[in-house]
Amino acid sequence: MILLVTFLFASIFFSIGVFAQPEPNYNEEAIEPYVLPELLTLSNGEKIHTAEDWELKRRPEILDFYKNEVYGYHPETILQRTSVKVVEESDSALNGHAIRKQIAIIYESNGIQLTINVLIYLPNDVTFPPVFVGYNFYGNQSVINDPNIVLTDSWVQNNADSSITEHRVTEDSRGKRSHRWPIEKIIGEGFGIATIYYGDVDPDRNDFTDGIHPFFYEDGQEKPSNHEWGSISAWAWGLSTVLDFLKADELLHDSSFILFGHSRLGKTSLWAGALDTRFDMVISNDSGCGGAAIFRRKYGETAAIINQSFPHWFNKNFKKYSHNENALPVDQHMLIALIAPRPVYIASAEDDRWADPKGEYLGGYYASPVYELYGKTGLTNSVMPATNEPIHHTIGYHIRTGGHDVTEYDWEQFISFARKHLND
Ligand code: GTR
């Protein structure tokens, strides 16, 4: 009887949509007309005509909107509370072609510690190589099959891919994600790579008692308040903290740093690149909703869907924009514009409709007027390019064949884009 009543109530709730996921739209024709918030008009109506006014007036205003209403404020990196330990180093990695270095960044406060493990490969024959910096989903050991890679302690079950969700890191997961990280190729092209398991900074679950957040709570605080940081901001904080130490490393202090991230970590790379102008270039791969894609299109994943599935990614204030995108004071062209004039690359995949490839393209297209203020070229055509026809302006873009993943084709584009623009 009790079971029957519970079942009846659950069915009613589902049918009226209390628990149900909103249905995604994949029909371009069904997109309602929308008006984007103006990139080059201050909230007091004043128009912006110069790069200087953009930097002094409009950019801080937009950055503030994002902090308040989307990703949440995060504390400034506090170097005094961190120390670094070289855990392992070899100058004969990858058959002698690379230096491998593993460092542990230890953040300490009130007697508790958080350890961020950074795995670095650098080409042996290049001084101060440019370095791709990016998070991985499954631990540093997953990016390459190398028995020397230290396993992190902060492993937690992660729901991103059911094929490797076995709780703690095991020897089995060494190299499981190597197809996304063609490290030998990257090294062979003269670039370095630094990667970090994102769960070291904040485990990816709706729980604010773990990861970096509690280190910054006021007495009695148990979770971030409405305007404070969600997980994407926490991961962005982690990238800036790692950058502090990379920049101080004797092998890297003259290097350029290229942020790279896929999917939720592509959303993170855009936000981290917007916040921290020390990153010389930013790449987002299949970043979708909350990344490069325009919210107001509501194509594929939407604010309502993402807030329901991943309430911890954004701040509490962002919840009020579920089914209410037009009330947002920003849209994602503004996130991309915050990176200007630094080069930014947006990568999409044809079958990754969930991430709205066209919305990702338009994010770059509508950001372009800010690049133009600096005399740079963004995406000039309102129509997106054909599949596998990359654009390498200061805003770069491609849509490739295939699905939600990071492929060799993607890396070929990232490398040639970096070569072309790093010294702009
Ligand atoms: C999906 C999520 C996307 C994207 C993706 C990923 O479940 O809806 O926003 O971030 O995960 O990170 O692989």
Side-chain angles (χ1 to χ4, degrees):
M1 182 61 189
I2 295 175
L3 267 179
L4 186 69
V5 173
T6 320
F7 174 75
L8 277 175
F9 267 111
S11 328
I12 293 166
F13 275 129
F14 267 111
S15 57
I16 60 173
V18 172
F19 301 131
Q21 277 273 0
E23 273 300 308
N25 170 47
Y26 290 120
N27 177 3
E28 201 57 41
E29 311 296 303
I31 293 177
E32 294 157 24
Y34 59 87
V35 180
L36 289 179
E38 288 215 22
L39 190 53
L40 293 177
T41 307
L42 285 175
S43 53
N44 68 10
E46 192 188 316
K47 301 270 181 215
I48 299 297
H49 301 286
T50 64
E52 197 187 7
D53 277 353
W54 161 258
E55 280 182 27
L56 282 175
K57 299 179 179 172
R58 184 60 173 148
R59 189 179 188 279
E61 203 173 66
I62 294 175
L63 201 55
D64 234 48
F65 286 143
Y66 270 107
K67 289 178 178 171
N68 245 315
E69 299 290 295
V70 184
Y71 304 107
Y73 277 89
H74 77 19
E76 296 300 313
T77 310
I78 303 171
L79 269 175
Q80 304 88 283
R81 295 216 181 132
T82 37
S83 57
V84 67
K85 200 163 78 189
V86 177
V87 177
E88 190 266 347
E89 195 168 7
S90 159
D91 58 8
S92 57
L94 306 182
N95 299 321
H97 295 300
I99 296 168
R100 181 187 56 239
K101 197 164 176 179
Q102 298 183 74
I103 63 174
I105 297 171
I106 301 157
Y107 187 84
E108 264 177 288
S109 183
N110 302 328
I112 43 171
Q113 283 192 353
L114 180 104
T115 302
I116 304 172
N117 299 286
V118 189
L119 167 66
I120 303 164
Y121 285 96
L122 304 173
N124 245 330
D125 53 355
V126 185
T127 31
F128 305 126
V131 180
F132 289 99
V133 183
Y135 280 121
N136 61 70
F137 279 88
Y138 299 106
N140 295 347
Q141 86 297 337
S142 70
V143 306
I144 187 168
N145 192 355
D146 179 340
N148 296 292
I149 297 172
V150 174
L151 306 183
T152 178
D153 281 335
S154 54
W155 186 265
V156 284
Q157 185 157 8
N158 175 311
N159 66 7
D161 177 348
S162 54
S163 67
I164 30 181
T165 49
E166 269 78 66
H167 304 246
R168 233 191 93 59
V169 173
T170 64
E171 290 301 318
D172 282 2
S173 58
R174 285 197 190 276
K176 275 251 171 155
R177 270 289 177 266
S178 55
H179 78 276
R180 284 190 178 171
W181 299 90
I183 294 181
E184 293 187 19
K185 183 185 170 85
I186 293 168
I187 295 295
E189 297 281 351
F191 289 80
I193 185 136
T195 186
I196 315 107
Y197 169 51
Y198 77 141
D200 274 0
V201 177
D202 188 24
D204 191 357
R205 54 184 173 198
N206 189 16
D207 174 350
F208 287 104
T209 62
D210 55 13
I212 190 64
H213 294 95
F215 287 81
F216 292 90
Y217 289 158
E218 306 280 323
D219 278 351
Q221 188 177 2
E222 284 173 355
K223 54 181 190 235
S225 53
N226 293 356
H227 64 286
E228 286 178 332
W229 49 344
S231 292
I232 291 178
S233 269
W235 298 323
W237 176 93
L239 289 167
S240 288
T241 301
V242 167
L243 185 61
D244 290 340
F245 288 95
L246 294 178
K247 277 190 162 294
D249 192 294
E250 57 185 16
L251 298 175
L252 298 173
H253 58 73
D254 258 352
S255 287
S256 309
F257 295 93
I258 308 160
L259 259 178
F260 157 75
H262 169 60
S263 204
R264 67 199 67 185
L265 302 175
K267 310 180 204 301
T268 304
S269 65
L270 291 172
W271 178 228
L275 287 165
D276 192 338
T277 55
R278 298 173 305 163
F279 287 108
D280 300 285
M281 179 177 286
V282 181
I283 298 166
S284 79
N285 194 72
D286 302 349
S287 60
C289 180
I294 297 289
F295 280 121
R296 282 167 171 77
R297 280 173 47 81
K298 292 184 261 177
Y299 182 102
E301 189 172 33
T302 61
I305 297 175
I306 212 165
N307 274 332
Q308 191 173 328
S309 318
F310 305 103
H312 56 294
W313 285 359
F314 301 87
N315 72 3
K316 204 78 186 294
N317 281 339
F318 186 61
K319 308 297 174 282
K320 61 178 182 263
Y321 301 103
S322 292
H323 302 294
N324 191 22
E325 288 83 350
N326 285 330
L328 260 174
V330 292
D331 212 319
Q332 298 306 82
H333 60 311
M334 292 177 162
L335 177 65
I336 295 160
L338 291 174
I339 296 165
R342 291 165 292 151
V344 59
Y345 198 91
I346 302 162
S348 304
E350 214 172 35
D351 301 336
D352 189 20
R353 295 187 310 156
W354 182 243
D356 185 12
K358 183 170 176 189
E360 292 173 325
Y361 177 79
L362 290 176
Y365 172 71
Y366 290 120
S368 300
V370 173
Y371 279 78
E372 280 153 27
L373 290 179
Y374 290 92
K376 310 257 176 196
T377 311
L379 300 176
T380 49
N381 196 333
S382 62
V383 179
M384 66 192 289
T387 305
N388 299 334
E389 286 187 15
I391 300 171
H392 285 194
H393 299 158
T394 307
I395 302 180
Y397 178 84
H398 74 243
I399 176 164
R400 60 156 169 79
T401 38
H404 191 71
D405 204 352
V406 192
T407 67
E408 212 154 313
Y409 179 88
D410 295 322
W411 276 105
E412 277 160 16
Q413 300 310 318
F414 304 155
I415 289 168
S416 66
F417 181 74
R419 268 229 178 88
K420 178 165 179 200
H421 290 289
L422 267 180
N423 301 318
D424 274 8

